[in-house]
């Protein structure tokens, strides 16, 4: 007869979607979402999210824990960040720490604080303009390489 081979059990959790950066305005509340996935082969319970490294004057709220995360299952954590009027404009790096009964992981996220809505929007517009330029350059490269491959 053939001996049954047992797959070793391992517990692992992964953060599969996290924003590159979170744009925040002083004296406002912003919702942030991350997605975690059970990438091991055991059920995880009591999955919690902690945000570490932000100024103590900021308020983090609405973090719910996930009771059960089955193998292969993914779920979303959504939380709110309130940045007070007195917060310094600039960049803060926060650690998002996800832990369960058997596994944990973390990810870094950049929190960028702006003094006003106008400043935040100017930043977003500059980012979009840069993406448009990148795409335009890529299209030009692609169309010139096609012409080179296909003589008319």
């Amino acid at each position: 007869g053939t001996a049954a081979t047992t797959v070793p059990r391992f517990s692992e959790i992964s953060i599969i979607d996290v924003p590159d950066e979170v744009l925040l305005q002083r004296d406002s509340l912003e919702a942030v979402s991350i997605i975690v996935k059970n990438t091991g082969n055991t059920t995880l319970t009591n999955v919690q999210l902690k945000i570490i490294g932000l100024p103590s004057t900021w308020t983090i709220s609405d973090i719910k824990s996930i009771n059960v995360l089955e193998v292969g299952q993914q779920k979303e954590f959504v939380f709110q960040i309130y940045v007070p009027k007195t917060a310094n404009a600039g960049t803060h790096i926060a650690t998002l720490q996800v832990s369960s009964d058997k596994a944990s992981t973390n990810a870094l996220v950049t929190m960028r604080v702006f003094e006003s809505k106008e400043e935040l929007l100017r930043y977003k517009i500059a980012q979009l303009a840069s993406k448009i330029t990148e795409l335009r350059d890529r299209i030009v490269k692609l169309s010139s390489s096609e012409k080179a491959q296909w003589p008319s």
Side-chain angles (χ1 to χ4, degrees):
T2 56
T5 56
T6 58
V7 175
R9 320 242 332 121
F10 71 99
S11 301
E12 183 181 64
I13 192 163
S14 301
I15 298 172
I16 59 168
D17 190 22
V18 63
D20 294 332
E21 64 180 0
V22 176
L23 305 181
L24 303 161
Q25 179 189 329
R26 292 199 301 197
D27 195 27
S28 71
L29 192 66
E30 186 68 36
V32 181
S33 149
I34 71 164
I35 296 174
V36 297
K37 182 176 184 176
N38 182 342
T39 47
N41 64 9
T42 60
T43 298
L44 301 176
T45 59
N46 192 25
V47 182
Q48 312 250 345
L49 170 65
K50 281 191 182 125
I51 294 100
I52 301 160
L54 292 178
S56 59
T57 54
W58 295 21
T59 308
I60 310 271
S61 56
D62 297 340
I63 302 181
K64 311 260 188 293
S65 62
I66 296 169
N67 292 332
V68 177
L69 194 61
E70 300 292 344
V71 175
Q73 188 178 33
Q74 59 187 49
K75 285 197 177 172
E76 182 178 37
F77 275 111
V78 177
F79 58 95
Q80 304 271 344
I81 299 180
Y82 173 75
V83 180
K85 266 185 220 166
T86 55
N88 292 330
T91 303
H92 301 267
I93 306 294
T95 302
L96 304 181
Q97 188 178 66
V98 176
S99 59
S100 73
D101 60 327
K102 301 180 195 124
S104 66
T105 188
N106 56 48
L108 296 178
V109 67
T110 301
M111 306 276 182
R112 198 175 293 268
V113 178
F114 296 90
E115 287 184 25
S116 65
K117 185 74 171 174
E118 182 184 358
E119 198 182 292
L120 187 150
L121 291 173
R122 283 181 195 279
Y123 178 81
K124 278 186 176 176
I125 290 166
Q127 279 186 315
L128 290 170
S130 146
K131 281 184 184 157
I132 289 168
T133 303
E134 270 177 44
L135 286 171
R136 195 178 293 140
D137 291 349
R138 217 180 286 164
I139 290 166
V140 167
K141 278 185 191 132
L142 284 172
S143 64
S144 64
S145 70
E146 275 180 20
K147 285 178 189 144
Q149 286 177 331
W150 305 102
S152 47

